[in-house]
Amino acid sequence: RPRRQPEPEGSQGDTDPATAPESGDEHDREQWHRLSPPIGSPATRQRYKADFGAELRRYKELCAHMDGVNDRLAQLAQQLDQEPEDSA
């Protein structure tokens, strides 16, 4: 099945800068400041540090899982290469 081409980032279908929605950069900046306000206290710094540590652990778990998936796919590809072309 053919894959749908993704729309360019920030594309809203309106190319006139006067009427187009805010740019992707502006939106990203606003979203970043809303989700991650500047560090203003030691408590905020500790919370950011804890969040980062938790997200980093999750990222590493996902990477390890994907390594296992990729290893299994490589094994299957090797098995497939050993089968005759006309085999079921």
Side-chain angles (χ1 to χ4, degrees), residues 7-68:
E7 294 183 21
E9 201 170 307
S11 172
Q12 302 291 327
D14 190 346
T15 57
D16 180 2
T19 59
E22 66 184 61
S23 75
D25 288 343
E26 285 178 44
H27 177 72
D28 290 347
R29 204 171 10 258
E30 287 176 12
Q31 186 175 14
W32 176 261
H33 286 294
R34 189 174 359 87
L35 295 174
S36 301
I39 297 173
S41 71
T44 302
R45 183 182 183 287
Q46 284 303 111
R47 189 177 72 246
Y48 277 23
K49 188 174 178 179
D51 288 348
F52 179 81
E55 294 297 324
L56 180 60
R57 279 188 298 279
R58 180 69 178 136
Y59 171 79
K60 288 180 177 183
E61 289 169 3
L62 291 171
C63 285
H65 176 74
M66 291 305 299
D67 287 344

Side-chain angles (χ1 to χ4, degrees), residues 77-88:
Q78 189 176 26
Q79 286 177 353
L80 186 61
D81 288 343
Q82 293 173 358
E83 294 296 321
E85 287 292 323
D86 60 347
S87 70

